[in-house]
Amino acid sequence: MSRTRFLSTLLAVTMVLAAATGVGAAETFKVGVVGPRTGPVATYGLSVINAVTLAVEELNAAGGVLGRQIELIVEDNKADATETNNAFRKLISRDQVHAIIGAVVTANSIVGAQVAQMMKVPMITPTSTAEKVTQEGDYIFRSCLIDPVQGRIMANFAYNSLEVREIACLTAQSNDYSVGLEEVFTKTFEELGGKVVASESYSEGDQDFKAQLTKIRAKKPEAIYVPGYYTEAGLIARQMRQLGMDLPILGPDGFDSPKLFEIGGDAVFGSYFTNHYSVETEDEVSLRFVDSYRAKFGHDPDGFGALGYDAALILFDAIERAGDAALAKNVATARVAIRDALAGTKNINVVTGTLTLDENRNPIKSAVILKVVDGGYEFVERIDP
Amino acid sequence: MVELTQEIIQQLVNGISLGSIYALIALGYTMVYGIIKLINFAHGDIYMIGAFTGFFAITILNLPFLPALFVAMVVAALLGVIIERLAYRPLRNSTRIAALITAIGVSFLIQNIALLAWKPDPRAFPDVFPFRSYQVWGIYLDNRQLVILGVALLLMVILHYVVHYTRIGRAMRAVALDDEAARLMGIDVDRVISITFAIGSALAAAAGVLVGIYYNRIDPMMGVMPGLKAFVAAVLGGIGVIPGAMLGGLVMGVAEVMVVAILESTWKDAVAFAILIIILLVKPAGLLGRQTREKV
């Protein structure tokens, strides 16, 4: 009996507290961040979450936006689709956020975008590059370049700068990101006059790539394009060396992680990948970002961090431009106002350059090619799409 | 023509090296099954625990390769004995299916504890084993592949010897044949089964450390797929037959690689399990198993 009473009291207290938090919500802008803090691609999520946290702290210290502070709610989705769905629903229904930054990997962002679009909450994915994500609807934005741009840039770089004519591709068959990049790369490379001599695939989680690599070796390509993540890329690089294949490996932004070096060792040196930004920069916003990130976290930010920071800057800019409409008591009204302002993002200075969102809510900005060398990345060139 | 031959031989080498990993895991699987007729689904997870123990022994205790391998084997053997004592022994007289389901439960339990404790992040295994690459007539080989194959063969011979030519081996075979009769003959059945688990788990740990070094990457889910493949390898070779595990592992490895080489990489895993189904239909006792033959 007393136990039941205790439970009901507890329930009542919880409800009062929840209501109190609800009232408090009017005083801040609530922003959710969704990304993997754990899991096979945890470094991506950690970079994004760190950078967004940094952006929010800086903004709040400078007085917030429209006189209000930003309240950040971080959700770990473990790079899992079901967890992403739960995180988005929790942020939207329970926390009543104004906007969401996330998810990080493409397959998760597609799931998140479906929820955000259905519930009409503006979402900015900092790092998901597949075209499909923003095609989910008019509430979905992004701060990174899309796959066609990355694939196209790498194909151009391989053909024009490295003067490669025959290339092989090794793709993760069950991964939207990987398959999307491979398609555009192959198409562009062949339009330029090059030839894809071998196109092999693997499943995510595979550890042994020697069979595919031996098959590729027989076709004698001059380079190999591996659109995938750092864990597989590291293993592939190692096993290539073990098979005596001394070719440059070309990759996408998925290579951007310190773990690439841990897993791949010196086999990854000499690889090239497309990325969104380089720490070797002279731009004012980038320099300030790199300095404060280093000061707070003790290491250089990677491309994922830069994109996360950009997503936050884009969002703050939109809230400011939305003005009074974003201050609406009804969170649904405020969300619409923020969405409309996001759609009008134009020429804003962010870490990865000057950014404008096009009519498909994708950014127009330049990309960089980085070379993997002992101790880090070397800036090779900046390419406008 | 020369190049094609070289490519085929290289693929065979790749297949044998992959297959010897399956064989290494399958040996422990098949031994435990041979003695107590339990498919120990937690075997793949003990393999993972072995890899992590080796990893920590090297990174935290700063042990060199062989002592680290030894530590991993001892820890896994203890774990195997504990699992048997807590999870399988109380079910000794229940139905086979109850023990099987418990084994699946133990497997999930270990995986999830490892996920909690060590996070799903993959870790890079330290390079404790000097890497040497050899090139013979355009075929690339390395010392790690040879070590794995050599260790698998060596363990197969030792296991075969232990089971067939030692006192404890005779006791194991007696338990396998009829545990009630063995007990009446004065054999301590519980002790024999504990030893069986200890040896099986130590083998799994050895495999875990070697594979960790070979691929240079470990994570808490690393035991799932190799565990399943090793199970298929054990069934393929004739579960309970020790040389069968070796043969089954090699056949599986070569088959997988050949699927990639000749057909499409996409079909790799599908073929492994298709082999299992075909074997169970055509020769349920496996390649080296005979229906009437005494197992082990």
Side-chain angles (χ1 to χ4, degrees):
Chain A
M1 187 61 195
S2 70
R3 188 179 167 78
T4 326
R5 185 167 305 153
F6 171 73
L7 281 177
S8 51
T9 316
L10 193 68
L11 191 64
V13 170
T14 322
M15 281 161 72
V16 170
L17 278 178
T21 330
V23 173
E27 310 300 325
T28 59
F29 285 111
K30 286 192 166 187
V31 176
V33 187
V34 181
R37 279 211 270 203
T38 55
V41 290
T43 71
Y44 301 162
L46 287 169
S47 293
V48 168
I49 292 166
N50 282 348
V52 173
T53 311
L54 177 69
V56 169
E57 282 175 5
E58 285 175 354
L59 184 83
N60 285 343
V65 57
L66 300 176
R68 282 194 196 171
Q69 296 278 297
I70 300 266
E71 185 186 339
L72 197 64
I73 302 157
V74 179
E75 294 290 329
D76 178 10
N77 69 350
K78 305 179 182 70
D80 176 84
T82 312
E83 299 268 359
T84 308
N85 192 332
N86 293 341
F88 269 72
R89 284 176 191 274
K90 182 221 165 220
L91 286 171
I92 294 169
S93 311
R94 177 129 56 95
D95 300 327
Q96 300 271 305
V97 294
H98 286 81
I100 294 176
I101 296 177
V104 172
V105 302
T106 290
N108 296 166
S109 291
I110 292 173
V111 173
Q114 285 162 354
V115 178
Q117 180 63 31
M118 186 174 71
M119 300 191 158
K120 305 234 173 305
V121 178
M123 156 183 153
I124 309 175
T125 170
T127 55
S128 295
T129 51
E131 261 184 306
K132 212 174 147 194
V133 179
T134 39
Q135 288 167 354
E136 290 295 339
D138 58 352
Y139 276 78
I140 316 302
F141 299 84
R142 87 174 95 213
S143 62
C144 58
L145 293 169
I146 51 176
D147 284 341
V149 178
Q150 274 204 69
R152 206 157 57 224
I153 287 176
M154 190 40 101
N156 272 298
F157 175 75
Y159 192 87
N160 296 323
S161 303
L162 295 179
E163 296 183 357
V164 168
R165 294 293 176 266
E166 299 202 328
I167 202 161
C169 295
L170 185 52
T171 317
Q173 64 191 9
S174 48
N175 185 312
D176 291 340
Y177 165 77
S178 191
V179 173
L181 281 167
E182 192 266 343
E183 276 170 13
V184 179
F185 179 89
T186 303
K187 190 165 162 278
T188 316
F189 194 73
E190 293 192 331
E191 275 168 10
L192 287 168
K195 201 173 164 218
V196 176
V197 291
S199 199
E200 292 297 318
S201 64
Y202 61 88
S203 318
E204 282 177 277
D206 272 4
Q207 297 211 312
D208 202 304
F209 304 91
K210 284 195 171 161
Q212 290 94 322
L213 290 172
T214 304
K215 205 173 167 188
I216 286 173
R217 195 182 62 177
K219 303 282 170 49
K220 301 201 173 57
E222 296 156 63
I224 176 167
Y225 185 53
V226 183
Y229 300 139
Y230 57 88
T231 33
E232 282 90 11
L235 291 173
I236 288 170
R238 245 171 206 273
Q239 293 175 20
M240 278 174 63
R241 298 298 176 260
Q242 288 167 9
L243 287 169
M245 298 167 77
D246 197 15
L247 318 172
I249 303 172
L250 314 181
D253 56 349
F255 278 32
D256 189 4
S257 165
K259 291 251 173 188
L260 180 72
F261 297 89
E262 280 182 40
I263 296 172
D266 56 9
V268 296
F269 299 164
S271 307
Y272 295 91
F273 67 97
T274 41
N275 207 352
H276 308 274
Y277 114 116
S278 155
V279 283
E280 296 172 47
T281 168
E282 268 146 35
D283 175 69
E284 189 199 334
V285 184
S286 312
L287 283 177
R288 209 174 53 225
F289 165 68
V290 173
D291 283 346
S292 48
Y293 192 100
R294 259 186 213 144
K296 187 170 165 69
F297 302 107
H299 58 93
D300 276 353
D302 55 14
F304 291 84
L307 292 170
Y309 194 83
D310 284 359
L313 293 187
I314 295 169
L315 179 63
F316 301 159
D317 171 73
I319 294 177
E320 185 148 24
R321 280 186 292 108
D324 287 347
L327 296 169
K329 250 203 151 48
N330 182 341
V331 72
T333 316
R335 285 168 180 168
V336 175
I338 295 171
R339 187 225 84 87
D340 291 346
L342 274 172
T345 301
K346 208 166 184 181
N347 291 328
I348 108 165
N349 282 320
V350 292
V351 176
T352 57
T354 305
L355 178 147
T356 296
L357 290 178
D358 68 10
E359 70 278 13
N360 298 318
R361 299 165 306 283
N362 293 319
I364 304 171
K365 59 175 180 179
S366 58
V368 295
I369 302 267
L370 299 180
K371 183 178 186 180
V372 182
V373 294
D374 196 352
Y377 311 123
E378 196 179 277
F379 174 76
V380 181
E381 58 183 298
R382 177 175 287 277
I383 300 179
D384 288 313
Chain B
M1 195 59 212
V2 172
E3 277 182 14
L4 187 66
T5 324
Q6 279 174 336
E7 192 191 339
I8 293 170
I9 298 176
Q10 181 71 58
Q11 290 289 27
L12 274 175
V13 170
N14 296 342
I16 290 170
S17 120
L18 184 64
S20 49
I21 290 170
Y22 296 148
L24 206 52
I25 311 172
L27 280 171
Y29 238 122
T30 219
M31 191 188 92
V32 169
Y33 182 85
I35 309 295
I36 60 167
K37 304 285 174 289
L38 167 72
I39 296 171
N40 184 14
F41 272 112
H43 197 73
D45 305 291
I46 295 176
Y47 153 87
M48 176 273 293
I49 296 283
F52 270 88
T53 313
F55 172 81
F56 290 122
I58 292 166
T59 52
I60 297 176
L61 304 179
N62 286 320
L63 292 179
F65 169 65
L66 280 175
L69 182 69
F70 182 72
V71 168
M73 289 174 79
V74 170
V75 169
L78 284 175
L79 183 68
V81 171
I82 294 169
I83 291 172
E84 193 274 330
R85 183 72 194 83
L86 296 181
Y88 303 148
R89 192 174 296 179
L91 294 169
R92 185 82 48 78
N93 296 319
S94 326
T95 52
R96 295 267 291 276
I97 193 82
L100 183 74
I101 292 169
T102 308
I104 295 174
V106 170
S107 162
F108 283 168
L109 181 71
I110 299 178
Q111 271 165 33
N112 284 289
I113 291 176
L115 279 171
L116 273 178
W118 299 324
K119 307 279 176 264
D121 238 6
R123 291 162 199 247
F125 213 92
D127 264 335
V128 281
F129 205 81
F131 177 79
R132 263 183 215 97
S133 181
Y134 313 106
Q135 203 186 341
V136 187
W137 194 60
I139 315 295
Y140 286 83
L141 270 178
D142 62 68
N143 54 344
R144 297 179 188 190
Q145 291 173 320
L146 296 176
V147 165
I148 289 178
L149 181 63
V151 170
L153 282 170
L154 183 72
L155 289 177
M156 179 192 81
V157 173
I158 293 176
L159 261 188
H160 193 77
Y161 175 81
V162 167
V163 170
H164 286 275
Y165 300 99
T166 61
R167 268 181 78 83
I168 182 70
R170 197 182 301 151
M172 284 175 172
R173 282 180 292 140
V175 172
L177 212 55
D178 187 335
D179 61 337
E180 278 307 311
R183 201 187 302 274
L184 290 173
M185 293 300 120
I187 293 173
D188 185 347
V189 174
D190 285 340
R191 191 173 145 265
V192 169
I193 291 178
S194 284
I195 293 174
T196 307
F197 264 90
I199 298 177
S201 304
L203 290 179
V209 174
L210 286 172
V211 173
I213 291 172
Y214 182 60
Y215 290 126
N216 183 44
R217 176 196 151 171
I218 57 170
D219 67 80
M221 302 304 278
M222 68 184 276
V224 180
M225 210 41 164
L228 283 176
K229 299 257 178 82
F231 169 62
V232 177
V235 172
L236 176 61
I239 192 152
V241 187
I242 289 169
M246 190 75 212
L247 180 70
L250 292 180
V251 169
M252 280 273 299
V254 172
E256 254 186 49
V257 167
M258 286 303 158
V259 170
V260 176
I262 299 164
L263 300 168
E264 277 283 320
S265 0
T266 330
W267 297 5
K268 189 166 57 79
D269 291 342
V271 167
F273 295 105
I275 291 177
L276 175 67
I277 296 170
I278 292 168
I279 286 290
L280 287 177
L281 287 175
V282 178
K283 202 168 183 306
L287 294 177
L288 297 187
R290 251 179 263 131
Q291 214 67 44
T292 50
R293 183 178 155 173
E294 159 225 355
K295 293 291 168 76
V296 172

